[in-house]
Amino acid sequence: MKKTLFIFAVLALASCKKEDTKVAEPLYPTNTEVVAQTPVELGEEIFKGKGNCVACHQVDKKAIGPSIQEIAKIYKDKGADMVTFLKGEGVPIVDPSQYEVMKANFVITKAMSDEELKGLEAYVYSTIQ
């Protein structure tokens, strides 16, 4: 009887196989690599994307608002702080007649980080030669 129990125990242990603990592949591709972005690239992305600046400003011609080349030139010539203006804390120096239209967009720019605002500023300055 002891031999039978012993054989049964050995067979029971032998029949237990180790399960494969393979991790399932994700259903969508994952990329954890962070791609460095220059301030100008960040600014352009914001200008054309979430900032929606392109709705009123073109690079080289006046639309609803002045061109960003004109904005860059005036801010550069006057040594003014574009980031302060975008935070809603500065006075309009480019086209004061359009200030009320621009004020509506401060909801967007005030929610941006300093890094995003500096990126936007870098992009605007990058449009002038």
Side-chain angles (χ1 to χ4, degrees), residues 1-2 16 28-29 33 62 68 73-74 106 113 116 119 123 126:
M1 176 83 167
K2 288 184 184 181
C16 293
Y28 52 89
E33 180 182 330
K62 180 173 177 44
I68 60 172
K73 184 177 179 337
I74 291 171
F106 286 148
S113 68
E116 290 172 317
Y123 173 65
S126 77

Side-chain angles (χ1 to χ4, degrees), residues 43-105:
E44 182 176 15
E45 183 179 297
I46 292 168
F47 184 86
K48 294 178 179 177
K50 82 175 191 177
N52 198 29
C53 310
V54 73
C56 297
H57 300 282
Q58 301 299 310
V59 173
D60 58 354
K61 62 183 175 185
K62 180 173 177 44
I64 294 170
S67 74
I68 60 172
Q69 287 178 337
E70 180 182 0
I71 294 168
K73 184 177 179 337
I74 291 171
Y75 269 85
K76 184 176 179 182
D77 290 348
K78 294 190 177 202
D81 186 354
M82 195 179 306
V83 171
T84 299
F85 178 73
L86 293 172
K87 287 181 176 182
E89 300 168 357
V91 296
I93 62 172
V94 177
D95 189 356
S97 68
Q98 292 293 322
Y99 182 64
E100 290 303 314
V101 175
M102 180 62 192
K103 270 176 57 175
N105 293 304

